[in-house]
Amino acid sequence: MGFIKHREVRPVTLDGRKRPRDCAGLIAALDDDNPTARRWAARDLTDLTDCPGSSAALVTRLGREPDNSVREVILTTLTLRGDDVAVAGLVGCLGSEDAALRNEAVEAMKQLPDQVAPIIGGLLADADPDVRIFAVNILESLRHPEVESWLVSVIDRDPHVNVCATAADLLGEVGSQAAHPALLRLRQRFADEPYIQFATELALKRIVG
Amino acid sequence: MLPAISDLDFEKFREFFYRKTGIQFEASKRYFVDRRLAERVEITACKDFRSYFTKLRFEASGAELQVLTNLMTVNETYFFREEYQFQCLVRSILPEIVSRKRDRGPIRIWVIPSSSGEEPYSIAIYLMEHWTGIAEWDVEIVSSDIDTTILAQANQGLYSERSVHHLPVPLLRKYFTRVRDGYQLCDDVRETVEFTRVNLSDRADTRPYRDFDVVFCRNLLIYFDDVSRKAAAETFYDALKPGGVICLGHSESMSRISSLFTVRRFPEAIVYQKPQETR
């Protein structure tokens, strides 16, 4: 016994494959009974950019995928693609009853600043305050120059105290002097809300330094 | 005088290089990147960055991209770096793997990045010195890197004083010969490792890498952005057998990258394990 070497990396052959690794085959494999087959299908679809319907198939699968390891790969593939269907699918997940899926969608969208920027206004104006809170969560680490102005807009206009509180918390981390007047206005608008008083005071302290 | 690289050139290159390799250069690396780009523009006799960039993007062989990748990657390591993980390998990880094994197949270890070979060779030396199981089990060490120049260097096994300064003197004497340019690793150890060229961000490259018991990926993912890091974690997940483990650098945490792995706290080190059963 001891050390052994294979002189070359053994290629993965098509032998034993249930389905071809083409567009139709990979989309079909997303619904395979075996989670490993589903995960590999989602992974291989990353490289298959010319595959009509694949982003939609990934989004559909994501909504009902029970296996965490498959979900992670689907989310990464959708993030790497970042096309309109992928982003719309992630937005759809924000309304899911599944908390883990919602959080995963928020994390994925944080990686897509250019794609999320055009739709963030709509998300911040969604009728559902939970979706608005998730939108603020996306801003947390979205690398985009407008993050602060979006947050200022939230604390100036949003009627829901929890949405404003989430935005004020975040302004304490990413805000500058530009947010100072809006934070003061928020304090006045929710003068009877202890958490808003606390969050704005903290944010103002951090901003002033 | 070297050709100038404008802000726009830098941005274009940064985006392109990131898509190809997953490696992202922050603005603070501007001088490092500019210098190497400008040198390649001159050496390849391109008239400016624009023509060089066209060559880089559309050259069918991809040879220039490989040359540039070799220049842009950081290769700094030494023998027995973060030794506590090798202790963990022989005292905790391998005994567990052996107790779980149902066949007599080899124990497979993937080391990425290989860099100039100090890490995979350290593992081989450590196993020979500290793991009695080496008498009973076959071990296969595969070590990969995106940089072909550094792989050639790793195969050669010639090291500087700095590379071997952490090695105990008896091991230095046992496995190395002092030569004019440094220390030459003996053939017995050189032959324990298979070196391969792999771009961790290229899923076609990594697809054949499967059925490993242990992966060492130390101090590489810190150069990746969040999405590339997550994709790399998924690659390792598929490269490992169920129950296999991955060892990251001391400042890295898989928990911050992906929820695919279970944290295992061994007395010597924290490692990350692929679950035995898929969830």
Side-chain angles (χ1 to χ4, degrees):
Chain A
M1 295 293 143
F3 294 99
I4 60 162
K5 272 167 98 169
H6 288 279
R7 288 291 160 193
E8 57 191 51
V9 174
R10 288 151 288 184
V12 177
T13 66
L14 289 176
D15 298 344
R17 293 277 202 193
K18 282 202 317 200
R19 295 188 178 86
R21 312 306 285 171
D22 59 13
C23 180
L26 291 175
I27 288 177
L30 287 174
D31 287 324
D32 198 285
D33 291 339
N34 182 343
T36 303
R38 298 199 298 275
R39 192 171 63 249
W40 275 100
R43 182 176 159 165
D44 287 353
L45 276 169
T46 312
D47 305 323
L48 219 59
T49 46
D50 186 20
C51 181
S54 55
S55 290
L58 285 161
V59 167
T60 305
R61 183 71 223 175
L62 180 63
R64 60 168 187 265
E65 176 57 58
D67 187 289
N68 183 37
S69 74
V70 183
R71 271 156 68 137
E72 282 224 9
V73 178
I74 291 176
L75 282 157
T76 303
T77 301
L78 289 172
T79 309
L80 288 169
R81 288 187 163 199
D83 58 27
D84 290 347
V85 177
V87 175
L90 294 171
V91 169
C93 294
L94 298 181
S96 167
E97 292 298 311
D98 180 343
L101 182 59
R102 287 197 306 264
N103 290 334
E104 288 160 357
V106 167
E107 291 305 314
M109 290 170 78
K110 285 177 182 175
Q111 309 302 323
L112 296 166
D114 294 338
Q115 295 87 339
V116 167
I119 59 165
I120 196 75
L123 292 174
L124 291 170
D126 195 279
D128 182 349
D130 283 341
V131 171
R132 302 205 295 279
I133 289 173
F134 298 141
V136 173
N137 292 151
I138 291 167
L139 297 181
E140 184 191 349
S141 54
L142 192 76
R143 288 180 188 158
H144 196 280
E146 293 299 315
V147 165
E148 185 177 17
S149 60
W150 285 323
L151 290 171
V152 165
S153 171
V154 168
I155 63 170
D156 263 342
R157 292 179 200 161
D158 201 290
H160 200 287
V161 64
N162 290 346
V163 180
C164 289
T166 309
D169 282 341
L170 189 50
L171 275 169
E173 292 173 28
V174 303
S176 69
Q177 285 287 354
H180 195 274
L183 285 164
L184 292 176
R185 289 194 292 274
L186 182 65
R187 280 174 78 80
Q188 286 188 329
R189 194 154 67 92
F190 290 102
D192 297 330
E193 290 290 348
Y195 188 78
I196 292 287
Q197 300 304 307
F198 166 77
T200 51
E201 189 180 344
L202 191 63
L204 287 165
K205 264 189 202 161
R206 283 179 173 166
I207 284 169
V208 173
Chain B
M1 191 176 152
L2 291 173
I5 308 296
S6 71
D7 291 353
L8 189 63
D9 295 340
F10 176 74
E11 283 305 324
K12 277 165 68 177
F13 170 73
R14 185 160 77 158
E15 166 67 19
F16 168 77
F17 197 68
Y18 166 68
R19 276 192 285 108
K20 288 290 180 187
T21 66
I23 298 169
Q24 192 153 51
F25 292 113
E26 299 300 328
S28 59
K29 292 278 184 187
R30 177 74 190 267
Y31 177 78
F32 172 89
V33 173
D34 279 13
R35 178 94 199 160
R36 280 153 185 78
L37 275 177
E39 282 171 2
R40 290 310 300 169
V41 173
E42 193 170 72
I43 290 166
T44 54
C46 290
K47 70 177 194 299
D48 52 20
F49 172 80
R50 192 175 167 179
S51 58
Y52 176 72
F53 194 53
T54 304
K55 176 185 176 70
L56 200 60
R57 287 170 65 193
F58 300 113
E59 188 182 54
S61 69
E64 181 55 27
L65 178 62
Q66 183 64 59
V67 171
L68 191 65
T69 303
N70 292 356
L71 288 172
M72 293 289 183
T73 44
V74 180
N75 296 297
E76 189 179 283
T77 186
Y78 48 85
F79 279 87
F80 282 30
R81 184 182 184 185
E82 297 181 46
E83 185 185 350
Y84 63 93
Q85 287 197 334
F86 305 141
Q87 289 170 352
C88 186
L89 179 71
V90 298
R91 293 178 191 168
S92 299
I93 297 171
L94 288 176
E96 191 173 293
I97 287 170
V98 164
S99 70
R100 207 173 48 224
K101 260 180 101 60
R102 295 198 182 118
D103 59 47
R104 294 297 304 171
I107 292 162
R108 304 188 72 227
I109 300 173
W110 188 20
V111 184
I112 182 168
S114 151
S115 190
S116 34
E118 286 90 334
E119 190 164 311
Y121 289 140
S122 291
I123 292 170
I125 292 172
Y126 220 85
L127 293 184
M128 289 191 280
E129 292 292 321
H130 300 288
W131 191 51
T132 53
I134 196 72
E136 296 168 45
W137 294 92
D138 279 334
V139 175
E140 184 182 357
I141 302 176
V142 180
S143 189
S144 308
D145 205 289
I146 193 171
D147 180 342
T148 48
T149 306
I150 208 75
L151 286 169
Q153 204 177 310
N155 259 315
Q156 198 185 356
L158 180 62
Y159 293 99
S160 67
E161 182 85 40
R162 195 185 171 284
S163 282
V164 299
H165 76 291
H166 261 66
L167 269 175
V169 173
L171 296 186
L172 188 62
R173 288 197 184 127
K174 186 173 177 181
Y175 294 111
F176 293 80
T177 308
R178 189 80 169 100
V179 292
R180 216 177 82 185
D181 301 330
Y183 293 86
Q184 176 62 55
L185 182 63
C186 69
D187 289 350
D188 283 352
V189 179
R190 280 180 54 218
E191 285 167 7
T192 60
V193 181
E194 175 70 29
F195 291 100
T196 61
R197 191 260 173 207
V198 168
N199 178 354
L200 186 56
S201 292
D202 184 338
R203 294 192 169 196
D205 261 16
T206 56
R207 193 170 289 124
Y209 289 76
R210 300 188 192 195
D211 298 327
F212 286 94
D213 296 285
V214 185
V215 172
F216 281 85
C217 179
R218 309 194 302 177
N219 308 304
L220 171 67
L221 300 182
I222 47 175
Y223 297 104
F224 286 22
D225 77 330
D226 289 346
V227 187
S228 308
R229 230 176 257 150
K230 197 162 170 289
E234 288 156 12
T235 294
F236 293 137
Y237 187 89
D238 284 318
L240 283 166
K241 292 176 186 167
V245 301
I246 176 164
C247 304
L248 299 178
H250 74 281
S251 65
E252 300 169 307
S253 165
M254 184 59 83
S255 310
R256 289 200 294 268
I257 301 172
S258 164
S259 61
L260 288 174
F261 297 84
T262 308
V263 179
R264 290 294 309 274
R265 293 173 200 277
F266 289 116
E268 305 83 7
I270 292 172
V271 302
Y272 303 90
Q273 185 169 39
K274 177 175 176 173
Q276 293 278 1
E277 306 289 338
T278 49
R279 287 160 286 174

